Amino acid sequence: MASSRVYLMSQSWKKVRKCVSHYASCFRVLFVGWSNILRAPQWELGAKYFATAIARACIPNMRHRNSKVRFAAIEVFQASVSVPDRDKVKGAGTSAIADLVGFKEENILPVAAFYSSQCGVTVNTLAELVADKNPRVRARCCEMLSYLIVCLPDRYDHQQRLLPYLLLFYYDNMSETQKMAMTAVDNCGK
C-alpha cells in the first residue's frame, strides 16, 4: 500500500515537471513570435502604441525560474523598447526602462501604498539579470544593454540608468561578454 502511494506520488511529480517544461517552452515560442512581430517594419505604426505595455509585461518573466523564459523575455523586452516612434524621435517603449531598473521617485507615494504594503515595493530586475547564474542569460542581457545604450534614438536619456549595469559585465566570467561590454562602452560616446 505504501509503495503504491509512493509510486503514484512520483508519477504525479513527473507529470507536473513535464507540464512546467511544456509551459516554459510555450512561453519561449510566444515570446519569440512577439519579438519577430515587433521588429517587422509593416507593424511599426501599430506596435508603437502597445510597445510600453508589452515591455512592462515582460519584466515579471525576466525573474522566471527557467532560463529559457528569461532569455526570451529579454529578447521581447529589447524588441518592444526599440520600436521606433518617429514623431517623438525615441523608442516607443522606453518608459519601461525605469520599471526595469526599479526606479521610483523620492517624493511620490502611490495612494494604494496607504492600504497595502505591496504597492510601494519595486524590484530591480536588471540587477538580478546581471547577476544571473546562467551565462547565456547574462550574455543576452549584456547584448540588450549594449543595444539600448548605443542604438536607441533617445539613448542619452537612459545612459545614466543603464551604464552602471553594463560596467558590471567587465568582471563577468565569460570573455565574450566582457568584450561585448567593452565594445559597447567604447561606442557609447561616439
Side-chain angles (χ1 to χ4, degrees):
M1 177 87 168
S3 65
S4 65
R5 188 177 296 158
V6 170
Y7 176 75
L8 287 175
M9 288 179 63
S10 69
Q11 291 301 316
S12 64
W13 276 111
K14 286 180 184 177
K15 288 180 183 178
V16 167
R17 282 191 208 117
K18 185 176 179 181
C19 181
V20 167
S21 85
H22 177 70
Y23 172 73
S25 67
C26 288
F27 248 141
R28 195 167 147 252
V29 168
L30 179 71
F31 282 153
V32 170
W34 269 107
S35 67
N36 291 337
I37 288 173
L38 290 170
R39 289 189 176 115
Q42 307 91 295
W43 294 88
E44 180 181 305
L45 185 62
K48 76 177 184 179
Y49 298 110
F50 300 105
T52 304
I54 292 170
R56 285 185 177 145
C58 290
I59 293 174
N61 291 314
M62 290 181 189
R63 301 183 70 206
H64 195 272
R65 69 180 184 168
N66 192 331
S67 64
K68 293 178 183 177
V69 174
R70 292 192 305 267
F71 187 88
I74 292 170
E75 187 173 331
V76 173
F77 183 85
Q78 177 183 341
S80 62
V81 166
S82 62
V83 170
D85 188 357
R86 300 191 191 283
D87 297 334
K88 298 180 182 177
V89 190
K90 68 174 203 163
T94 54
S95 60
I97 292 175
D99 296 336
L100 180 67
V101 296
F103 178 74
K104 191 169 107 177
E105 294 282 342
E106 290 182 22
N107 296 329
I108 295 177
L109 184 66
V111 175
F114 290 111
Y115 304 108
S116 173
S117 61
Q118 291 289 337
C119 293
V121 178
T122 57
V123 177
N124 190 344
T125 308
L126 188 56
E128 291 179 357
L129 288 173
V130 168
D132 199 272
K133 292 181 219 173
N134 192 327
R136 282 188 63 220
V137 172
R138 287 195 315 267
R140 185 66 183 100
C141 182
C142 182
E143 184 181 335
M144 176 189 70
L145 289 175
S146 301
Y147 180 83
L148 295 178
I149 284 181
V150 174
C151 299
L152 272 182
D154 58 337
R155 60 188 168 270
Y156 300 111
D157 297 339
H158 304 288
Q159 278 183 352
Q160 64 188 8
R161 288 188 185 138
L162 299 177
L163 192 60
Y165 298 104
L166 188 64
L167 292 174
L168 286 173
F169 285 113
Y170 273 173
Y171 299 106
D172 195 70
N173 298 337
M174 304 297 291
S175 61
E176 297 87 22
T177 308
Q178 290 176 349
K179 290 176 187 174
M180 193 183 326
M182 288 181 203
T183 306
V185 172
D186 288 342
N187 295 334
C188 188
K190 295 181 182 178

